[in-house]
């Protein structure tokens, strides 16, 4: 497995709890949708993070939620430009197959920072036929929304009525039946993924067309 030190360019705070970490990409190659392990080069401690940036950029970016009492996310938040991080990878198989790349209708469902692989997909490939459901608590958590076509993006806010839909992504899917032919990509917390997978299967989507990446 490739392991290299990358320099931190910037920590970009998006909300009080969430930030982007931008690293020099160097010659790091990956497929959109993959993740890496970021490690503290001094202690060796590390965690998995999905790549947020596209294959077209010269920087490597990650969208991170700072977890209260979470060791690693707080370590990342306090990194200074010019310091180094170990990047191990890429890893994972949450990538688009030929059919998905060739215009097949896709449904992307994310919660919170689970929007990262989808952000990388749409910025890396031009002609995806997708719709996105992004589930967050508050409207200011619509990370990277401008990367998605306005008419293909729906922000589901569960704690305030300021998004496109007031309620969780699972409520949205209960109200609006989905086409059985969709290929669905789900990324985020395990509760959402389990609930939505069951719901999509009930709507008639075959299990091989439901692809998942669990963050926690
Ligand atoms: C394949 C994969 C990809 C991942 N990609 C990302 C990513 O792109 N961005 C990201 O922020 N995290 C991502 N994670 C989670 C990440 O690896 C860490 O678990 C997270 O940053 C917390 O680490 P910590 O040491 O701060 O807290 P810990 O003490 O390790 O975790 C404490 C608790 O925080 C909760 N938690 C973990 N991650 C999140 C999150 N993203 N949002 C809300 N609650 C969470 C969980 O309940 C966890 O048990 C990913 C995990 C996996 C397995």
């Amino acid at each position: 497995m490739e392991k290299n030190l990358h320099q931190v360019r910037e920590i970009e705070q998006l909300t009080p709890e969430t930030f982007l970490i931008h690293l020099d990409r160097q010659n790091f190659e990956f497929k959109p949708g993959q993740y890496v392990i970021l490690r503290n080069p001094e202690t060796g401690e590390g965690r998995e993070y999905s790549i947020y940036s596209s294959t077209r950029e010269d920087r490597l970016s990650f969208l991170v939620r700072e977890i209260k009492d979470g060791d690693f996310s707080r370590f990342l938040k306090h990194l200074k430009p010019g310091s180094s991080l170990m990047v191990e990878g890429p890893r994972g198989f949450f990538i688009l197959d030929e059919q998905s790349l060739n215009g097949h209708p896709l449904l992307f469902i994310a919660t919170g920072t689970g929007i990262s692989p989808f952000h990388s997909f749409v910025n890396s490939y031009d002609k995806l036929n997708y719709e996105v459901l992004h589930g967050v608590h508050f409207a200011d958590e619509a990370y990277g929304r401008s990367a998605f076509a306005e008419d293909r993006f729906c922000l589901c806010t569960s704690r305030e009525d300021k998004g496109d839909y007031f309620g969780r992504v699972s409520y949205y899917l209960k109200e609006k039946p989905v086409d059985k032919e969709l290929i669905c990509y789900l990324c985020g917390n395990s509760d959402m993924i389990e609930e939505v997978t069951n719901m999509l299967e009930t709507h008639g989507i075959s299990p091989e067309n439901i692809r998942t990446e669990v963050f926690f």
Side-chain angles (χ1 to χ4, degrees):
M1 187 66 58
E2 279 281 314
K3 267 189 196 177
N4 279 302
L5 283 176
H6 291 245
Q7 214 173 54
V8 176
R9 281 197 193 175
E10 187 191 354
I11 304 292
E12 184 186 346
Q13 201 71 36
L14 300 183
T15 69
E17 285 173 337
T18 309
F19 57 93
L20 284 169
I21 173 162
H22 303 290
L23 307 180
D24 273 333
R25 181 168 168 190
Q26 300 169 12
N27 53 0
F28 183 85
E29 293 296 328
F30 65 98
K31 291 190 175 137
Q34 288 192 295
Y35 69 92
V36 302
I37 300 184
L38 296 180
R39 284 192 194 282
N40 178 337
E42 282 167 24
T43 64
E45 191 187 7
R47 298 278 189 281
E48 301 91 342
Y49 293 94
S50 285
I51 301 168
Y52 178 83
S53 47
S54 75
T55 48
R56 293 169 167 156
E57 290 167 65
D58 68 353
R59 59 185 189 175
L60 201 51
S61 307
F62 304 90
L63 175 68
V64 182
R65 183 174 183 91
E66 181 185 1
I67 304 299
K68 192 171 173 289
D69 301 326
D71 283 347
F72 204 75
S73 55
R74 284 185 304 157
F75 157 74
L76 290 176
K77 183 182 172 181
H78 294 105
L79 283 170
K80 299 278 175 256
S83 58
S84 292
L85 257 189
M86 185 68 81
V87 175
E88 193 175 308
R91 294 186 176 193
F93 301 96
F94 192 67
I95 56 178
L96 297 178
D97 61 8
E98 280 302 308
Q99 201 182 5
S100 302
L101 289 170
N102 286 321
H104 193 93
L106 310 174
L107 178 60
F108 299 152
I109 304 175
T111 47
T113 53
I115 198 69
S116 264
F118 305 131
H119 188 269
S120 184
F121 288 161
V122 301
N123 281 324
S124 300
Y125 303 117
D126 286 328
K127 291 185 181 144
L128 297 179
N129 183 8
Y130 70 90
E131 283 191 25
V132 189
L133 288 181
H134 188 193
V136 292
H137 292 154
F138 302 103
D140 69 351
E141 296 166 291
Y143 319 118
R145 179 175 186 152
S146 61
F148 301 94
E150 197 50 43
D151 57 343
R152 293 177 180 270
F153 187 94
C154 179
L155 187 72
C156 301
T157 49
S158 60
R159 301 210 181 151
E160 63 179 2
D161 188 6
K162 289 187 181 169
D164 304 312
Y165 174 84
F166 185 27
R168 291 159 50 178
V169 291
S170 52
Y171 298 162
Y172 179 97
L173 289 167
K174 248 180 228 160
E175 285 176 19
K176 303 187 202 270
V178 292
D179 185 335
K180 291 188 183 53
E181 299 309 314
L182 287 172
I183 301 178
C184 302
Y185 291 80
L186 281 52
C187 183
N189 70 71
S190 52
D191 288 347
M192 177 282 280
I193 289 183
E194 192 182 335
E195 189 181 4
V196 170
T197 298
N198 290 336
M199 200 173 277
L200 294 172
E201 286 184 3
T202 308
H203 286 324
I205 298 192
S206 65
E208 68 268 21
N209 284 341
I210 303 173
R211 299 157 193 188
T212 61
E213 185 81 298
V214 177
F215 276 10
F216 62 94

